[in-house]
Amino acid sequence: MSDTDDRAFRPATEVVAAGRRREWTQGVVNTPVWRASTILFDSVGDLRAAVASPNDRLYYGRRGTPTQWSLADALTRLEPGAEGTMLYPSGVAAVGMALLSVLKAGDELLMVDSAYEPTRAFCRNVLAPMGVTTRFYDPLIGAGIAELFGDRTRAVFMESPGSLTFEVQDIPAICAAAKARGIATLLDNTWATPLFLPAIASGVDLSILACTKYIVGHSDAMLGSVTAAPGLLDGLRRMTHAFGQHVGPDDAALGSRGLRTLDVRLRQHQAGGLEVARWLETHPAVARVLHPALPSCPGHDLWQRDFRGASGLFAFVLAGGSDADRAALIDGLDLFGIGFSWGGFESLALPVDPAPIRTATRWQAEGPLVRLHIGLEDPADLIADLKRGLDRYPGR
Ligand SMILES: *Cc1c(COP(=O)(O)O)cnc(C)c1O
């Protein structure tokens, strides 16, 4: 296989071909796992030459080897217009490093109210004590974000759709408004991945992935990434190296292995997820289904305009009932695991309660909320499992 570096392919081809430079693979299909701390040089002159260009030569284990470079390069290739990608030991680490690379003491951050809770915790526990203030905004604000910009506003953080309540944001409008004021835009793109939403091409400056989810895809490794638009990579890299962030080669190799099947897996998650979501809409024990591809979801028109697909994560509101009723429903399911995270081949069900987390908007619902991740099982079996539980559900 030749070096594919200077050619662009469709996304399904990129996930297979990207990052597999001959110099990294040495002809093996998957880039080998390079375990390294010390790199030995032939001479002092050779060592000095490596120090002079540490980003593209083997230099020291912490700065990566072909195993990590291969994955980072492939993720960059999936985001047309991007300059480069940095890897992190988790999605939360990626969120934190991305924020720190664009914010300093005295700045203000605008954070979407539907953000993943640990992202909010980072604002509280790291940004606030260092003198960065956070203002939360309505996920459906769109171009109206410009009215919130103040003299100290330096960054806008988006998560679309929100990972508990699935509001879809107007990413191009928010990015255009921010760009006009020189404000950086960050997007947690974990739900869609670059396959269903090319973030950099939509105007985003820093596209963040919890690769733990769909990139790894098999629930057996933790990994994060940030892909940067031109001009933002240097700052991100500086911050990342200052914090000594490093991904182990085995985890990077698991990320690359997952990436190779991302396109085919996502399409199956999408088909299964939609089938289950549409069925749930017809059940009397279900008040509402929050799935960006269904017209009832806030921001559905934006999803239709901007996204190329929907992944397997969504939620539904029960028509009534208590927390205990919801717990009994979830406990009774056979095919849905009960646990955090998502994006693997298995289906999961989780009770979620957004109301106490929110500050800029109010979450109101007819009953308790259940988040589902639809895995790669046959959707007919998943529907039968849910039907057994919902037919007995007392809260309707
Ligand atoms: C899981 C998740 C994260 C954090 O990823 P970890 O790898 O678990 O640290 C960030 N954002 C979203 C939307 C997530 O679902």
Side-chain angles (χ1 to χ4, degrees):
M1 184 175 179
S2 68
D3 195 330
T4 57
D5 206 36
D6 51 357
R7 287 178 287 155
F9 298 106
R10 290 168 181 81
T13 308
E14 287 289 6
V15 299
V16 171
R20 291 170 54 203
R21 294 188 197 175
R22 186 72 168 73
E23 69 201 88
W24 296 340
T25 64
Q26 303 287 321
V28 176
V29 171
N30 294 306
T31 304
V33 176
W34 293 56
R35 293 204 180 83
S37 56
T38 298
I39 309 296
L40 297 174
F41 300 95
D42 291 337
S43 66
V44 171
D46 207 28
L47 176 141
R48 286 185 178 144
V51 171
S53 58
N55 296 324
D56 47 22
R57 286 192 51 167
L58 272 177
Y59 164 61
Y60 178 52
R62 184 168 9 86
R63 304 293 282 258
T65 70
T67 313
Q68 290 92 349
W69 300 342
S70 179
L71 175 60
D73 189 50
L75 292 171
T76 303
R77 300 281 303 181
L78 289 180
E79 284 278 8
E83 186 180 358
T85 298
M86 301 301 292
L87 300 179
Y88 301 92
S90 70
V92 165
V95 167
M97 285 297 111
L99 284 167
L100 288 177
S101 77
V102 295
L103 292 164
K104 58 178 188 330
D107 290 347
E108 181 190 64
L109 164 69
L110 297 180
M111 171 61 67
V112 65
D113 205 27
S114 51
Y116 182 64
E117 215 287 322
T119 299
R120 299 181 74 113
F122 188 85
C123 300
R124 260 192 328 268
N125 299 326
V126 179
L127 296 182
M130 70 180 255
V132 174
T133 52
T134 301
R135 203 147 44 118
F136 289 91
Y137 67 88
D138 184 339
L140 301 175
I141 198 167
I145 192 92
E147 285 159 36
L148 300 184
F149 293 162
D151 294 340
R152 301 191 300 116
T153 311
R154 279 285 138 263
V156 180
F157 193 103
M158 297 165 275
E159 180 178 314
S160 183
S163 59
L164 298 185
T165 43
F166 298 92
E167 299 91 336
V168 182
Q169 296 192 251
D170 194 336
I171 297 167
I174 291 172
C175 290
K179 201 144 288 175
R181 292 279 299 265
I183 295 167
T185 50
L186 296 77
L187 171 69
D188 185 330
N189 198 24
T190 301
W191 183 86
T193 84
L195 287 188
F196 284 166
L197 185 84
I200 303 292
S202 306
V204 170
D205 289 321
L206 295 172
S207 171
I208 301 159
L209 293 179
C211 299
T212 307
K213 313 291 166 60
Y214 283 123
I215 307 301
V216 169
H218 295 73
S219 310
D220 51 6
M222 304 293 300
L223 206 59
S225 69
V226 181
T227 299
L232 283 102
L233 185 63
D234 275 353
L236 180 69
R237 184 185 275 138
R238 205 174 316 120
M239 192 57 70
T240 303
H241 289 159
F243 274 80
Q245 296 281 11
H246 173 263
V247 167
D250 296 282
D251 291 338
L254 286 173
S256 289
R257 163 170 290 211
L259 184 70
R260 302 304 172 201
T261 57
L262 180 64
D263 184 80
V264 67
R265 283 187 289 109
L266 273 184
R267 279 189 275 157
Q268 191 59 39
H269 287 297
Q270 166 167 257
L274 265 171
E275 195 173 329
V276 173
R278 289 199 175 111
W279 177 82
L280 283 169
E281 276 195 319
T282 67
H283 198 284
V286 174
R288 269 188 289 152
V289 180
L290 304 170
H291 187 304
L294 297 181
S296 55
C297 191
H300 164 72
D301 52 325
L302 300 171
W303 173 82
Q304 221 163 16
R305 186 191 70 188
D306 298 337
F307 287 65
R308 295 175 177 172
S311 64
L313 189 77
F314 64 93
F316 65 94
V317 178
L318 286 156
S322 65
D323 178 52
D325 294 334
R326 173 177 62 178
L329 170 73
I330 293 173
D331 288 348
L333 298 173
D334 290 328
L335 290 173
F336 290 81
I338 305 168
F340 293 108
S341 204
W342 44 278
F345 50 79
E346 80 287 15
S347 288
L348 299 169
L350 197 69
V352 288
D353 297 295
I357 304 172
R358 300 227 164 179
T359 51
T361 52
R362 269 188 75 194
W363 169 255
Q364 279 176 304
E366 300 83 341
L369 188 62
V370 177
R371 191 179 75 176
L372 296 182
H373 178 252
I374 301 303
L376 303 178
E377 305 90 341
D378 190 314
D381 287 327
L382 299 175
I383 287 170
D385 196 17
L386 288 164
K387 184 173 189 320
R388 275 190 295 275
L390 288 170
D391 285 351
R392 289 194 308 263
Y393 190 73
R396 60 174 149 128

